[in-house]
Amino acid sequence: GRLEAVTQQMGYHPQYLDSFLKTQHYLMHMDGPLPFDCRHYIAIMAAARHQCRYLVNLHVLQFLRAGGDPQWLRGLEFIPPKLRNLNEINKILAHRPWLITKEHIEKLLKISEWSWSLAELVHAVVLLAHCHALASFVFGCGCEQDEGLGGRGSLKPLSLGNQCFCEATAGNSCSQELLRINRKRSLDSCMELDSLRERMQRIHVETEGRDEMRLLQQDREEGEGQGAGVGVQGGSSWLSPFADTDGEVTGATNLACYMQDPDFGYQDFARRDEDQTQVFRVQDYSWEDHGFSLVNRLYSDIGHLLDEKFRMVDGLQSSAMAKRQGCEPSVFKRGIWNYIHCMFGIRYDDYDYAEVNQLLERMLKVYIKTVTCYPEKTNSEMFDRFWKQFKHSEKVHVNLLILEARMQAELLYALQAITQYMI
C-alpha cells in the first residue's frame, strides 16, 4: 500500500498534490477529444524524449489497460500516421519550444486523411507539455529510484505497481483516496503481459558518469560572456544514454523506438541564429490574457485546472526557503520562475534580471538548468549537493516550480502558434 513515488514526493505539499492529481486525472481519464489509448501513447512519446523510463513504464501499462494495440509498443513505425505526425512538434516542444511556428500547426491541421482537429491538437499539446515537465520532476526528485519515506534512497530497479498516480482521483477527495492506493487491477487480459513486465524491469538502468562538477567545468569553458550572466551554460558531450560504461547496449534502446532524431536536444536560446524566433515577450502573449481562454475554449475545463495548478504552486508557503536566501518568498519564487522562462527565451519587461544572480546561488542555478533543459542528466549527487542546509520538502518545492514554469513555457509557445494559425 505504499504511495507511488511521484505522489509521495508531491505529498510534501498536499494542496498542490490535490490540484495536480485532478489535472492528471482529467487529462488521462475524463471525456476529451482524444481516445484513451492515444493519450497514453502520446505520454509515452513525450517521456521518451527525456529517456524517462519511469513515466514510459507507467503509461505502457495504462495504454494496455485502455485497450491499446500491443503492436504500437514496438515503436513509431507501427502506429497510425496521424499519431506519428505528432513526433515533430513533440521533439521541438521538449527541447526548443521557441522553434514552434504556425506552419507546424498548419501541417497537422491540413485537410487530409490523417489531419488533426483543433480540439484534438490542443489536447495533445497539453499532454506533451504536461509529460515533458513531469519528466523534469521525476528526474529532479529521483523518482526513478526506490525511495524510502524520507525521500531519495539507494538505487534499485523500478518496482511496477498496479496503481498509477493518474488514477488516484477516482473518488471525490484526492487526499483521502491516496490513503487507499493498495487497490489492485487485473491485467491478465493484456497480451504478453509477463514478458512485458520482465522487459520493463530490465530497462531500468542507472546512467553513470554524470555529475554537476563536469557541468560546471563546461559552464566555465563555454558560458563566459553570454548575455547578462543570467544563464548557466551546459554542454552536450555526455556519454550516450543508450550504452553502459563498457559500451554494451542496454535496455534503454527500448525507448529509442518511441522517438526520432534522438540527437536533437536543448540548445541555449542565447545562441540562436539571427533568423530564428525573437525573444518571447509576455506582455504580447500571456497565459492569463491569451493562453487560458484559447485552451479552455478548445478543450473544455482544462484551462481552469491548469490555471489552478499554476496558482497553487505560486501560493505554496516558502517562508523558510526565502528567509535563508534573505528575501521575501514572492521575490525568491519569481526569481526561479523567471530564470526558467529566460532559458526558453521568455522575457518579462517589468523584471530586473540582475536579481537572478543575486537570489540564486550558482549550484542552485546549475541544478535548475539541468532539471529544466536536460533532466535525464540529473543525478542524485546534484540533488544532494545543492542547498545542503535545506529540508527535502524545500527541494521538492523547487522541483514543483520547475515543473510548472516549464509546462507554462511550452504551452505559451504552442498556443501562440495555434493563435497565429487561427488569425
Side-chain angles (χ1 to χ4, degrees):
R2 240 184 71 186
L3 296 182
E4 180 277 329
V6 166
T7 305
Q8 181 181 333
Q9 294 299 316
M10 290 185 181
Y12 284 101
H13 305 278
Q15 289 182 315
Y16 173 85
L17 172 62
D18 188 79
S19 180
F20 172 86
L21 289 177
K22 284 191 295 184
T23 304
Q24 173 88 3
H25 184 72
Y26 188 85
L27 276 172
M28 294 297 180
H29 300 287
M30 300 297 287
D31 290 341
L34 293 176
F36 295 113
D37 58 341
C38 288
R39 301 181 197 191
H40 291 291
Y41 200 88
I42 289 171
I44 292 170
M45 293 172 62
R49 285 307 314 182
H50 288 303
Q51 298 127 46
C52 186
R53 303 174 188 87
Y54 178 93
L55 290 179
V56 169
N57 292 345
L58 284 175
H59 286 289
V60 163
L61 291 179
Q62 293 298 302
F63 170 79
L64 292 173
R65 287 175 183 169
D69 184 351
Q71 290 296 316
W72 290 16
L73 300 179
R74 297 176 63 184
L76 299 183
E77 296 180 0
F78 299 88
I79 65 176
K82 177 177 177 178
L83 199 56
R84 187 163 58 248
N85 290 342
L86 200 64
N87 178 70
E88 182 71 9
I89 198 172
N90 174 36
K91 176 184 75 173
I92 295 174
L93 269 183
H95 305 294
R96 305 175 203 172
W98 57 87
L99 297 181
I100 291 287
T101 66
K102 66 178 182 180
E103 284 72 28
H104 291 107
I105 304 302
E106 183 178 14
K107 185 177 179 180
L108 291 169
L109 297 174
K110 68 181 181 180
I111 300 176
S112 71
E113 184 181 358
W114 307 111
S115 65
W116 290 72
S117 70
L118 267 174
E120 288 174 333
L121 184 56
V122 166
H123 192 171
V125 162
V126 175
L127 277 172
L128 291 172
H130 175 81
C131 293
H132 295 154
L134 187 55
S136 285
F137 183 86
V138 166
F139 281 106
C141 286
C143 293
E144 293 216 4
Q145 303 177 22
D146 186 23
E147 305 175 29
L149 294 179
R152 305 172 69 100
S154 59
L155 292 172
K156 296 180 181 179
L158 174 62
S159 177
L160 295 177
N162 291 310
Q163 175 76 25
C164 176
F165 58 85
C166 58
E167 296 175 322
T169 55
N172 293 327
S173 173
C174 302
S175 300
Q176 293 179 2
E177 187 67 19
L178 288 175
L179 300 178
R180 300 191 291 273
I181 303 184
N182 59 354
R183 176 171 57 88
K184 293 185 177 181
R185 301 181 63 179
S186 175
L187 290 175
D188 294 340
S189 60
C190 295
M191 296 178 60
E192 303 176 345
L193 176 62
D194 292 337
S195 61
L196 177 64
R197 284 184 180 277
E198 292 175 3
R199 172 186 171 193
M200 289 180 180
Q201 294 290 349
R202 290 197 302 270
I203 68 173
H204 184 81
V205 294
E206 169 67 6
T207 303
E208 299 178 347
R210 303 178 303 192
D211 63 347
E212 74 276 27
M213 296 309 295
R214 185 171 184 177
L215 184 60
L216 281 171
Q217 179 63 31
Q218 291 175 341
D219 175 67
R220 283 191 289 267
E221 294 174 355
E222 301 175 12
E224 295 181 0
Q226 291 291 330
V230 175
V232 178
Q233 306 300 323
S236 58
S237 56
W238 298 87
L239 293 174
S240 168
F242 300 113
D244 60 20
T245 53
D246 297 324
E248 180 182 355
V249 177
T250 69
T253 53
N254 292 319
L255 300 188
C257 70
Y258 298 125
M259 59 179 171
Q260 297 172 356
D261 195 6
D263 294 330
F264 186 91
Y266 175 80
Q267 187 178 74
D268 287 322
F269 183 82
R271 296 182 179 181
R272 69 191 189 283
D273 296 332
E274 292 182 0
D275 60 343
Q276 287 185 340
T277 307
Q278 298 300 309
V279 170
F280 187 112
R281 299 197 177 279
V282 176
Q283 284 70 20
D284 299 328
Y285 195 96
S286 68
W287 166 257
E288 294 81 5
D289 296 333
H290 306 90
F292 169 81
S293 58
L294 175 64
V295 74
N296 216 46
R297 175 159 55 91
L298 293 172
Y299 182 15
S300 179
D301 293 331
I302 191 62
H304 292 293
L305 290 169
L306 292 174
D307 194 61
E308 176 188 309
K309 195 154 60 78
F310 293 146
R311 294 177 184 274
M312 190 63 67
V313 77
D314 184 57
L316 288 179
Q317 295 299 317
S318 58
S319 56
M321 218 164 43
K323 184 177 180 180
R324 295 178 187 183
Q325 297 298 106
C327 65
E328 292 296 320
S330 60
V331 174
F332 183 64
K333 287 188 292 186
R334 190 183 185 194
I336 293 178
W337 187 278
N338 289 0
Y339 174 54
I340 295 168
H341 276 195
C342 179
M343 289 185 289
F344 288 113
I346 298 174
R347 295 295 183 114
Y348 297 78
D349 289 344
D350 62 348
Y351 186 73
D352 180 7
Y353 284 87
E355 289 187 10
V356 171
N357 286 330
Q358 299 171 7
L359 294 172
L360 310 182
E361 60 187 40
R362 187 168 183 79
M363 289 303 297
L364 174 58
K365 290 202 298 181
V366 169
Y367 177 81
I368 290 174
K369 180 164 187 178
T370 305
V371 175
T372 301
C373 303
Y374 17 74
E376 64 276 9
K377 296 180 181 179
T378 311
N379 58 38
S380 59
E381 187 178 0
M382 294 181 71
F383 182 93
D384 294 336
R385 291 188 63 175
F386 92 89
W387 274 3
K388 287 180 175 294
Q389 76 277 26
F390 280 46
K391 297 178 181 178
H392 182 85
S393 62
E394 293 170 328
K395 294 188 176 186
V396 172
H397 188 171
V398 171
N399 279 282
L400 292 179
L401 287 168
I402 293 173
L403 187 161
E404 296 301 339
R406 176 179 179 177
M407 181 174 185
Q408 188 179 102
E410 290 189 25
L411 285 177
L412 284 174
Y413 278 110
L415 295 175
Q416 183 193 52
I418 293 175
T419 300
Q420 291 172 344
Y421 167 82
M422 295 172 63
I423 295 176

